[in-house]
Amino acid sequence: MQYRDFGRTGWKVSEISFGAWGIGGGWGQVSEDNALAALHTAIDNGVNFIDTADVYGDGRSERFIAQVLKERSEEIYVVTKAGRRLNPHVAEGYNRQNLTAFIDRSLKNLAVEALDLVQLHCPPTPVYYMPEVFGILDDLVQAGKIKYYGVSVEKVEEAIKATEYPGVQSVQIIFNMFRQRPADMFFELAQQRQVGILARVPLASGLLTGKMSRQSTFPADDHRNFNRYGQSFDVGETFAGVDYETGLDVVEEIRALVPAGATMAQFALRWILMFEAVSCAIPGAKNPKQAADNAGAADLPPLSDAVMADIKAIYDAKIRPLVHQRW
Ligand SMILES: NC(=O)c1ccc[n+]([C@@H]2O[C@H](COP(=O)([O-])OP(=O)(O)OC[C@H]3O[C@@H](n4cnc5c(N)ncnc54)[C@H](OP(=O)(O)O)[C@@H]3O)[C@@H](O)[C@H]2O)c1
């Protein structure tokens, strides 16, 4: 495993980290045994940074993390999110009372006295233009409930706006072979402002592992079934917003570029790590085998300029028209 600087926090975070949505819920059934083993295996492989949220399995993900960390002595950073418990999910809900209540609940779930970092969880766009929300987060830092805060965003423009607030330490954004716009529009600014970047949905919900086909099916409680067309939340969170069948065709072109000895998941993750502005990729893993496979991406040698150019050409020709101007 290799480690990178994370914003201005002074943390050194594993460049392959762990996304803990899937072990909470929303991805079909994941047993407690598999969830705990996936976390342990990630840590065994050098992962020291876990991304979760209060709503993943309504706290199940946070509680699993607390359970595992009780058994580990390594220093592990756990970043969570707040905001999505709001119903309706509206900008006015991002007020002092609600944010404090959400953070108090995460403190309990994670069994810690202060949260390492809290991200606003893809809030409605107007929240980025409400400095009072960031003021409340500053107060929560002052009060010792949270050490740092950041944002998880849908759109590049939201990322740019969020980094105007001096307290914002990190931006989580969808970045993968199917979602390349952040590299054009945001990475340089993030480096200038010393803001950490978490690359989420790095495997395009598993599509970029190369294991899916037109015959693949997903259970009713898996967002790749119930949110395929954005019925429940932003469609960009499912297969990175790329039409499934188009994605499958493009995956076949990418497969030809996977180096010998690497899995396609590792190749997709290594591509993300080629961008030095990225602090870490946070692939989801539902079992120990996936967690180990993903962590192994950090040990692959850098990709050649020729391979990077090939991926860019494939994106420009096949994927860019579908996604580039949407997020
Ligand atoms: N709004 C937000 O802030 C937000 C939204 C989305 C995600 N996130 C964060 O980002 C993290 C990562 O994104 P994601 O989980 O949505 O998608 P992802 O990392 O692109 O895909 C994860 C899924 O791919 C499959 N997989 C993972 N590793 C694999 C491997 N080595 N081989 C084969 N299959 C593998 C697993 O599902 P199957 O085995 O079922 O195929 C896994 O659940 C989340 O866990 C969460 O922490 C945040």
Side-chain angles (χ1 to χ4, degrees):
M1 184 56 67
Q2 317 286 325
Y3 299 83
R4 296 188 180 192
D5 292 326
F6 188 72
R8 305 173 305 282
T9 60
W11 301 350
K12 293 268 183 205
V13 302
S14 47
E15 52 185 26
I16 299 297
S17 288
F18 190 96
W21 177 15
I23 61 167
W27 286 80
Q29 296 302 305
V30 179
S31 71
E32 177 168 348
D33 283 353
N34 265 329
L36 299 175
L39 286 165
H40 275 298
T41 300
I43 297 170
D44 291 342
N45 283 278
V47 168
N48 74 346
F49 184 96
I50 302 170
D51 175 75
T52 184
D54 55 358
V55 288
Y56 294 165
D58 197 22
R60 185 176 187 247
S61 173
E62 288 183 329
R63 290 189 294 271
F64 281 153
I65 293 164
Q67 196 176 330
V68 165
L69 294 193
K70 243 194 291 173
E71 296 165 23
R72 306 293 303 213
S73 57
E74 296 89 344
E75 182 169 26
I76 309 291
Y77 303 108
V78 181
V79 304
T80 191
K81 309 188 195 81
R84 288 276 159 172
R85 291 177 61 75
L86 292 170
N87 186 15
H89 181 234
V90 291
E92 306 76 63
Y94 283 75
N95 58 39
R96 187 176 303 273
Q97 191 188 353
N98 288 335
L99 284 172
T100 306
F102 297 153
I103 282 166
D104 284 342
R105 184 171 177 273
S106 287
L107 285 167
K108 215 177 263 173
N109 280 340
L110 284 165
V112 292
E113 291 188 351
L115 299 174
D116 288 332
L117 181 140
V118 172
Q119 303 156 96
L120 299 180
H121 198 166
C122 293
T125 304
V127 167
Y128 299 98
Y129 298 85
M130 292 163 60
E132 62 274 24
V133 174
F134 297 87
I136 294 165
L137 293 170
D138 286 328
D139 291 346
L140 288 163
V141 172
Q142 280 296 315
K145 287 183 191 261
I146 64 180
K147 295 179 192 167
Y148 297 108
Y149 64 84
V151 291
S152 182
V153 305
E154 297 289 7
K155 299 181 175 73
V156 171
E157 285 71 13
E158 294 168 342
I160 293 169
K161 178 66 190 169
T163 60
E164 283 180 16
Y165 297 99
V168 169
Q169 293 282 351
S170 62
V171 169
Q172 178 178 145
I173 192 161
I174 299 182
F175 181 61
N176 61 40
M177 288 175 174
F178 282 177
R179 286 285 284 274
Q180 301 195 17
R181 187 164 176 255
D184 289 356
M185 298 284 298
F186 176 58
F187 285 0
E188 201 180 318
L189 180 72
Q191 282 183 300
Q192 276 165 20
R193 294 184 174 166
Q194 283 188 283
V195 169
I197 294 179
L198 285 71
R200 81 162 178 270
V201 195
L203 301 171
S205 313
L207 198 44
L208 287 169
T209 67
K211 68 179 179 183
M212 291 174 185
S213 71
R214 284 178 169 70
Q215 283 70 49
S216 302
T217 56
F218 303 95
D221 57 350
D222 185 324
H223 72 100
R224 295 168 294 186
N225 179 331
F226 71 75
N227 195 54
R228 177 79 64 98
Y229 306 104
Q231 304 95 309
S232 292
F233 43 81
D234 194 300
V235 69
E237 305 297 346
T238 302
F239 301 126
V242 173
D243 164 67
Y244 182 66
E245 310 236 325
T246 308
L248 288 174
D249 291 343
V250 177
V251 160
E252 291 317 312
E253 290 184 46
I254 295 173
R255 197 189 301 278
L257 301 169
V258 178
T263 64
M264 190 160 174
Q266 290 173 333
F267 177 57
L269 295 171
R270 191 68 186 87
W271 179 87
I272 291 171
L273 299 181
M274 293 301 292
F275 297 81
E276 60 175 23
V278 171
S279 315
C280 59
I282 50 168
K286 295 161 81 174
N287 56 51
K289 186 163 177 279
Q290 291 179 351
D293 185 35
N294 295 341
D299 299 327
L300 290 190
L303 306 183
S304 68
D305 291 348
V307 165
M308 293 303 286
D310 286 346
I311 298 288
K312 177 85 169 46
I314 292 171
Y315 173 81
D316 285 345
K318 303 283 170 62
I319 300 292
R320 188 184 175 101
L322 302 177
V323 302
H324 205 76
Q325 302 310 328
R326 294 173 66 199
W327 290 280

